[in-house]
Amino acid sequence: WNSFWTTIQISAISAPITAGLGLLTAYILVRQKFWGKDIFEFLTMLSFAIPGTVIGVGYILAFNVPPIEITGTGVILVVCFIFRNMPTGIRAGIAAMSQLDPSLDEASLTLGAKSFTTLRRILLPLLRPALIAALVFSFVRAMTAISAVIFLVSADYDMATSYILGRVEFGDYGLAIAYSSVLILVMLAAIWLIQITVGKRELGRRDSFEF
């Protein structure tokens, strides 16, 4: 149960942060113009291309000494999931935001709204499919990650996947199968809850008038 609740907690914390940072990065890449934008976009994709084992070992080497000593804590797991899964949210945000006319931003700014208000009141309601995709992918990946997690777990912060792997190594296949089945049900319930909470994108249409 310790590993189960730890997995739920860390996944629930990392998924919204991952989706939020991904969509915010996508907004910067699509709507803003600055020097080195292509380099910045390339760097955001690197964490998705690097193998998980390399990321796990790299996080241990980077955060095992002061001033940022978070190895063996839940923080390092959250940070790993955020930057490991963020490229998917970025690509989903870029694909969705590229379909929105920039005149929406310009009209909002012309009427006196700030950039954050434009993003929150105008763009975000139209980006609900991308937000759902980012949240679902981030949560499911955090629940099922194994390659990087196996190096970052500790006795106090054990993840479900590493616990299942340990049960399989000891030949306890019944418990491993039951645990996996529970994770599948939890993820299905979480996906349904995310879809209900975020909602669907609604596009209005003006009524036609007869003269």
Side-chain angles (χ1 to χ4, degrees):
W1 288 110
N2 182 31
S3 63
F4 177 78
W5 294 117
T6 300
T7 303
I8 295 293
Q9 181 181 6
I10 291 178
S11 301
I13 293 174
S14 61
I17 300 176
T18 304
L21 288 178
L23 293 180
L24 182 60
T25 305
Y27 173 78
I28 295 174
L29 290 173
V30 175
R31 290 292 194 260
Q32 305 297 324
K33 296 181 180 180
F34 55 91
W35 183 88
K37 185 171 72 172
D38 295 336
I39 299 176
F40 177 70
E41 183 177 0
F42 174 76
L43 292 176
T44 58
M45 298 293 110
L46 280 181
S47 61
F48 202 70
I50 299 175
T53 53
V54 177
I55 291 180
V57 174
Y59 272 60
I60 292 177
L61 295 176
F63 301 118
N64 197 32
V65 293
I68 306 177
E69 189 175 356
I70 57 176
T71 301
T73 65
V75 177
I76 193 172
L77 291 170
V78 173
V79 172
C80 176
F81 290 144
I82 289 174
F83 291 99
R84 177 68 170 167
N85 302 325
M86 193 169 61
T88 302
I90 295 175
R91 301 314 305 178
I94 290 176
M97 203 168 297
S98 299
Q99 302 176 21
L100 302 179
D101 198 320
S103 60
L104 294 174
D105 305 17
E106 298 171 357
S108 178
L109 295 174
T110 302
L111 293 174
K114 298 181 180 180
S115 298
F116 180 76
T117 304
T118 301
L119 179 63
R120 180 174 59 90
R121 300 288 300 273
I122 305 299
L123 296 180
L124 194 58
L126 298 175
L127 294 176
R128 286 179 177 176
L131 181 60
I132 291 177
L135 284 173
V136 169
F137 181 85
S138 303
F139 185 83
V140 172
R141 286 283 295 178
M143 292 281 292
T144 59
I146 182 62
S147 56
V149 166
I150 199 170
F151 295 98
L152 303 177
V153 294
S154 61
D156 295 329
Y157 295 93
D158 192 14
M159 298 291 288
T161 49
S162 62
Y163 183 84
I164 292 173
L165 183 62
R167 294 299 90 198
V168 172
E169 291 178 350
F170 283 102
D172 197 353
Y173 297 106
L175 180 58
I177 293 173
Y179 202 159
S180 302
S181 302
V182 171
L183 288 183
I184 293 174
L185 295 178
V186 169
M187 286 185 286
L188 289 175
I191 292 173
W192 176 79
L193 182 62
I194 290 173
Q195 292 178 340
I196 294 297
T197 303
V198 177
K200 297 181 179 180
R201 179 176 61 181
E202 297 181 359
L203 299 178
R205 186 177 61 181
R206 295 177 181 176
D207 296 331
S208 58
F209 295 94
E210 296 181 359
F211 295 97

